[in-house]
C-alpha cells in the first residue's frame, strides 16, 4: 500500500537551519547573561570613582548603584530564561513536534517586538542620558555617568545582539513557514509491518500411565506369588 501524502522521515534543510539558528541564539542569550553578571563589579567601581567627583551625596550614589544592581540582575534573569526557552524550542523542532513550530512563531513575534524595543532603548540611552530632565542636578549627573561606567564594548554588544535577535527570529519564522517544513511537521507516521510470531512447537503428548501391576515385582530366584492372596 502506498502513502502519497506521507513526507519522508529525513529532516528538511530549512528545519535544520532553523534549529541551528535557535541554538545559536540560545547560546548568545546565555553568554549575554553571564557577561552582564561578570562585568557588574567593574561597572560599579568605575561609576563610584566617577561619581565621587560630582556634587552627589553618598546616599544618591548608593541609590543609583542599587538601581544598577537590580537592572543587571533582571537583565541576566530575562536572558537566562530566553536562552533556556530557545534551547527547548530547538529540541522540539529537531524532534519534529508541530506544537514546537507553533510555539516558535509565537516566541518569534514577541522576540521581534522586544528586540526592537531593546535597540530603541540603547539608542535612547546613548543619545539622551537618563535623568537629564530631572530638577536635581546631582541625579542628572549620576545618570549621565552611568552609561560611561559600562565597558566600552558593552553597548555595541547589546546593540548587535538586539539586531541579531530581530533578524534571527525573522529568519526562523520564515524558514518554518516554507512548504518543505510544513509537510515534514505534518507527516504521517510510517506504516509498521505486521509482526509474525513463530508457531509454537507442538506440546508433547502425555500418555496415560499404565495401571500398577497387581503383583509386585519379585526378586530373582523367589517363588512365584499366587494369583490371589490366600484366605
Amino acid at each position: 500500500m502506498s502513502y502519497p501524502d506521507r513526507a519522508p522521515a529525513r529532516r528538511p534543510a530549512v528545519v535544520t537551519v532553523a534549529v541551528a539558528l535557535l541554538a545559536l541564539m540560545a547560546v548568545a542569550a546565555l553568554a549575554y547573561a553571564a557577561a552582564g553578571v561578570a562585568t557588574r563589579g567593574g561597572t560599579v567601581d568605575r561609576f563610584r570613582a566617577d561619581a565621587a567627583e560630582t556634587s552627589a551625596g553618598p546616599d544618591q550614589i548608593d541609590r543609583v548603584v542599587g538601581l544598577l544592581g537590580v537592572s543587571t540582575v533582571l537583565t541576566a534573569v530575562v536572558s537566562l530564561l530566553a536562552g533556556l526557552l530557545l534551547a527547548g524550542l530547538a529540541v522540539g523542532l529537531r524532534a519534529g513536534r508541530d506544537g514546537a513550530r507553533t510555539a516558535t512563531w509565537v516566541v518569534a513575534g514577541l522576540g521581534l517586538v522586544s528586540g526592537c524595543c531593546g535597540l530603541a532603548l540603547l539608542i535612547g540611552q546613548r543619545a539622551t542620558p537618563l535623568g537629564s530632565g530631572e530638577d536635581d542636578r546631582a541625579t542628572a549627573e549620576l545618570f549621565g555617568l552611568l552609561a560611561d561606567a559600562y565597558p566600552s564594548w558593552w553597548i555595541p554588544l547589546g546593540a548587535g545582539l538586539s539586531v541579531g535577535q530581530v533578524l534571527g527570529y525573522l529568519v526562523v519564522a520564515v524558514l518554518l513557514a516554507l512548504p518543505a517544513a510544513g509537510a515534514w511537521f505534518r507527516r504521517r507516521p510510517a506504516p509498521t509491518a505486521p509482526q509474525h510470531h513463530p508457531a509454537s512447537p507442538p506440546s508433547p503428548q502425555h500418555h496415560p500411565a499404565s495401571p500398577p501391576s497387581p503383583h509386585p515385582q519379585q526378586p530373582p530366584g523367589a517363588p512365584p506369588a499366587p494369583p490371589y492372596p490366600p484366605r
Side-chain angles (χ1 to χ4, degrees):
M1 180 181 295
S2 61
Y3 291 84
D5 56 344
R6 181 172 58 86
R10 184 179 179 85
R11 186 187 313 111
V14 291
V15 178
T16 302
V17 174
V19 170
L21 285 176
L22 285 179
L24 181 61
M25 294 169 64
V27 172
L30 297 176
Y32 186 74
V37 175
T39 58
R40 178 184 178 277
T43 301
V44 170
D45 294 339
R46 285 187 294 271
F47 174 75
R48 287 189 179 275
D50 295 338
E53 301 177 359
T54 64
S55 58
D59 294 339
Q60 294 173 315
I61 296 176
D62 291 339
R63 283 196 296 269
V64 177
V65 169
L67 179 62
L68 175 62
V70 171
S71 63
T72 301
V73 172
L74 289 178
T75 302
V77 170
V78 171
S79 298
L80 177 62
L81 294 178
L84 295 178
L85 177 60
L86 292 176
L89 291 176
V91 172
L93 292 178
R94 190 175 185 275
R97 299 187 179 93
D98 194 24
R101 183 174 68 143
T102 304
T104 302
W105 280 331
V106 175
V107 173
L110 297 176
L112 287 173
V113 175
S114 63
C116 293
C117 293
L119 184 60
L121 181 61
L122 287 173
I123 295 176
Q125 286 181 352
R126 203 60 178 172
T128 304
L130 293 176
S132 59
E134 297 289 337
D135 296 334
D136 190 353
R137 181 173 176 272
T139 303
E141 290 177 352
L142 292 178
F143 278 105
L145 295 175
L146 190 57
D148 296 331
Y150 286 97
S152 59
W153 48 267
W154 180 254
I155 292 182
L157 175 64
L161 288 178
S162 297
V163 174
Q165 177 183 356
V166 172
L167 295 178
Y169 280 126
L170 183 61
V171 172
V172 168
V174 172
L175 288 176
L176 295 180
L178 293 178
W184 187 71
F185 281 104
R186 293 190 301 267
R187 71 191 187 282
R188 288 185 178 182
T192 57
Q195 298 181 357
H196 299 281
H197 300 282
S200 57
S203 59
Q205 298 180 358
H206 298 281
H207 299 281
S210 58
S213 174
H215 303 289
Q217 295 183 358
Q218 300 294 327
Y228 298 102
R231 298 189 178 193

